[in-house]
Amino acid sequence: MHENKVIDESKQGEALMIESTVKGGKKLFLESYGCAMNFSDSEIVASILKDKGFSTTQDFFEADVIFVNTCAIREGAEQRVRKRLTEYRKAKKTNPDLIIGVLGCMAERLKSQFLEEEKLVDIVVGPDAYRSLPELIEIAETGQKAVNVLLSKEETYADIAPVRLGSNGVTAFISITRGCDNMCAFCVVPFTRGRERSRDPETIVNEAKELFEQGYREVTLLGQNVDSYLWTGGGLKKENPSTEELQNATTFAQLLEKVALIHPDLRVRFSTSHPKDMLDEVLYTIAKYDNICSYVHLPVQSGNSRILEMMNRGYTREWYLNRIAAIRRIIPDAGISMDIITGFCSETEKEHQDTLSLMEDVKYDFGYMFSYSERPKTLAERKYKDDVPSEVKSRRLQEIVDLQVKHSAFRTKQGVGKVHRVLVEGTSKKSKEELFGRNSQNTVVVFPKENYKKGDYVNVMVESCTGGTLIGKAV
């Protein structure tokens, strides 16, 4: 399995730090893998355990408890987690009381293997059961195995104030939905995260307000499919809401507006959109407010309608291109990124070429690109044969990556000679005398530090660029 991208990615596998207010408490080593939703979940876990006296360590040999928040969406992610768990078992030799736990999607999917066959862990906890962690730790301390992987139709953790882990103090995630009702043939998420439910908009707005008051200047609203967010007074989406319920409901476009209205200096991003659910109403809301970023992540997965139907994506190539045309029309300066899976079951060479031609039509700013990896329990695993040879997948993936590198360079170059409003996120990795941040389109901009600092908005005249970074000076 290959994973490629032409975009910055979250810190994979980083030990995340919290400090407890309780002296002499236990030490926690917390590590996260996968998507932004997983990192957001880790912040909820940190909050729950901080209240029970836990602080963190970056040395797992010092820890009383090690938790790995896992991802099950691709085989490679699972292999990395298994390797890490094997390393953690070594710490048991010097600390027999050490408790090792697996959280998240992989925990739900492989609970019996972890506990019985491989004996790698003491605790297994699914995404909807984090409130039970203190009790499960107590059980594990007696020498018993502790498990809670029950999925919930109500849990959104709306009342828990997340501890911001590894934060730059400028940008933060806010989860607005949990679970997913889309049964994409290749995806394991509905089985590991359960049914989709939306979070009370009032709690989302309050969380964003608190973040702004603490000095944060950008929030990203997270969901497996943010466009289907709908609050009708209860979390789980109703199959047939009444006319009155719909009239009083909060849609995603309305939620975006509520968050944008908190303050003009609070930038708003969101991820991930679904082409079948993206409405013009959302696009017009983005266009209406300067502080809603002109950036849409719109996964396509394939440029061929037959493959899209097999993937159970709910749209055709034509529908997708219609949504791209709407973005270009309503938000002319928008940055657009994608996900693509190549080598899906029975994909022909012509169908692969259809994906390349769609990329040529759109010319994405960024992209996440993968070769197909069969996942257990999914529709594709039950119904289709994974029949594209690995060497063909690899070659097709490389062609997609090469084309996206070209398109990313093209889009980045379009930013040269223009002034960009940049939110400073920190010091450049290459020079302490330079700062970096992102513009509204999510492109990284680097410029001389001067007297500016993290959290400032700076107008930068861009004078040059690399393949994916704009370089300029403050004006």
Side-chain angles (χ1 to χ4, degrees), residues 151-162:
L151 293 174
S152 168
K153 292 182 179 181
E154 289 83 31
E155 182 62 85
T156 63
Y157 301 108
D159 61 316
I160 293 177

Side-chain angles (χ1 to χ4, degrees), residues 142-306:
T142 69
Q144 302 177 68
K145 301 295 183 184
V147 185
N148 187 346
V149 292
L150 294 176
L151 293 174
S152 168
K153 292 182 179 181
E154 289 83 31
E155 182 62 85
T156 63
Y157 301 108
D159 61 316
I160 293 177
V163 172
R164 303 298 163 179
L165 298 170
S167 172
N168 58 12
V170 179
T171 63
F173 296 127
I174 299 178
S175 177
I176 67 168
T177 68
R178 294 187 72 82
C180 186
D181 286 346
N182 295 313
M183 299 299 290
C184 298
F186 53 79
C187 187
V188 74
V189 167
F191 305 102
T192 59
R193 285 188 171 268
R195 291 288 305 277
E196 181 183 312
R197 58 270 190 202
S198 297
R199 182 177 158 191
D200 184 336
E202 186 178 344
T203 67
I204 296 167
V205 172
N206 287 340
E207 187 174 332
K209 282 180 181 175
E210 289 171 7
L211 285 166
F212 184 78
E213 289 164 2
Q214 292 166 17
Y216 288 83
R217 290 297 175 262
E218 180 180 292
V219 295
T220 300
L221 307 181
L222 291 179
Q224 303 298 146
N225 176 9
V226 292
D227 295 284
S228 64
Y229 174 91
L230 187 68
W231 176 261
T232 56
L236 194 65
K237 191 189 295 180
K238 295 185 178 180
E239 296 293 334
N240 297 296
S242 67
T243 303
E244 183 180 355
E245 285 174 326
L246 286 174
Q247 287 173 343
N248 296 320
T250 300
T251 65
F252 179 57
Q254 291 166 337
L255 177 67
L256 262 182
E257 183 169 54
K258 286 175 185 288
V259 179
L261 287 170
I262 290 170
H263 197 282
D265 283 342
L266 180 65
R267 261 190 182 176
V268 186
R269 298 188 188 273
F270 57 89
S271 185
T272 297
S273 293
H274 197 299
K276 74 178 178 63
D277 295 319
M278 171 166 272
L279 301 175
D280 285 0
E281 181 189 9
V282 171
L283 301 178
Y284 282 116
T285 303
I286 296 169
K288 182 178 178 181
Y289 294 95
D290 289 340
N291 59 327
I292 302 180
C293 291
S294 298
Y295 171 69
V296 179
H297 181 64
L298 196 66
V300 62
Q301 309 303 3
S302 172
N304 177 268
S305 292
R306 184 187 78 86

